[in-house]
Amino acid sequence: MTADFTVRRARPTDARRLAAMRRTFKQEDHEGQPPAPAHPPDDAERWIGERLGDGRWLAWVAESGGEIFGHVFLNPVERVPDPYGDDNAPIGYVTNFYVTPPQRGKGAGSALLEVLEEHARSAGFNTLIAWPSERSSPLWQRSGFRSPEELSELQLDTRAHG
C-alpha cells in the first residue's frame, strides 16, 4: 500500500491548524460534549507557535494535499547530570498524538511515531514516555511502547489550591 500522505516536521506557521486540531482532539475526549472552554482559542495557537519557534517542543505532522490531518508532539526533558555515570541523555515526553477520524487506520499514526522515534534516536534520547488513550494503546504497543515497571505517577488536584 502506497501512502498518499507525507510526514514532515511542524513549523510555527502550522500553529493555527494544530491548535484547531487540539480543540477537536479534546472534544473527542469528551464525546463531543466538552465543558465550556477555559482558554480562548488564540492561547493554544500562540503557545504552540512560540514553542515550535524556539525549539522547546518539536512536532511532526501528517498531511495530504497540503492539509494537515495528524500530529504528534515531543518535549525533550533534560536529566540532572549523573556524577557517577555518563547516561545523561534526555527523555522525550510524547503527547498530543492525533489523527483525524477519516484518516485513521491508513498508516499515518504509525508513520508519525516512526519519524518521531528516528529523530529521538539520532538526537541521543534514551527513553520516550507517553500516556496513550485506551483507543490508541494498541498502536503504541505495535510501535514498541511498553508499560514501565519503574514509573510512578502522582496526580495532583490543583483546583483545590487555586
Side-chain angles (χ1 to χ4, degrees):
M1 178 175 139
T2 304
D4 60 346
F5 62 87
T6 58
V7 174
R8 65 166 173 83
R9 183 95 161 258
R11 301 180 286 262
T13 55
D14 296 323
R16 178 177 299 259
R17 177 67 180 135
L18 294 171
M21 289 177 69
R22 171 82 174 156
R23 192 175 262 341
T24 300
F25 169 38
K26 297 312 283 182
Q27 286 173 347
E28 275 187 42
D29 284 353
H30 293 279
E31 298 177 358
Q33 301 297 321
H39 304 281
D42 290 352
D43 284 359
E45 180 181 343
R46 184 173 29 265
W47 189 96
I48 291 168
E50 287 173 1
R51 279 149 184 85
L52 292 178
D54 67 16
R56 283 183 282 174
W57 283 76
L58 305 172
W60 289 264
V61 299
E63 65 182 355
S64 180
E67 292 295 317
I68 296 171
F69 65 85
H71 53 71
V72 64
F73 283 61
L74 173 66
N75 180 224
V77 178
E78 291 183 295
R79 293 172 56 193
V80 177
D82 181 348
Y84 304 106
D86 59 357
D87 186 11
N88 296 317
I91 293 170
Y93 168 52
V94 182
T95 190
N96 203 35
F97 178 52
Y98 180 71
V99 175
T100 60
Q103 296 295 332
R104 291 180 187 154
K106 299 178 181 178
S110 295
L112 284 164
L113 290 179
E114 184 178 310
V115 167
L116 180 139
E117 182 182 340
E118 287 173 10
H119 168 81
R121 284 184 192 282
S122 69
F125 287 63
N126 71 356
T127 303
L128 296 176
I129 58 172
W131 281 268
S133 67
E134 188 175 319
R135 180 184 64 231
S136 68
S137 191
L139 172 59
W140 290 94
Q141 289 175 1
R142 285 193 307 272
S143 296
F145 284 78
R146 300 287 177 259
S147 294
E149 294 179 15
E150 296 180 9
L151 185 66
S152 297
E153 178 182 59
L154 172 62
Q155 296 210 358
L156 303 173
D157 183 3
T158 57
R159 293 174 293 186
H161 301 286

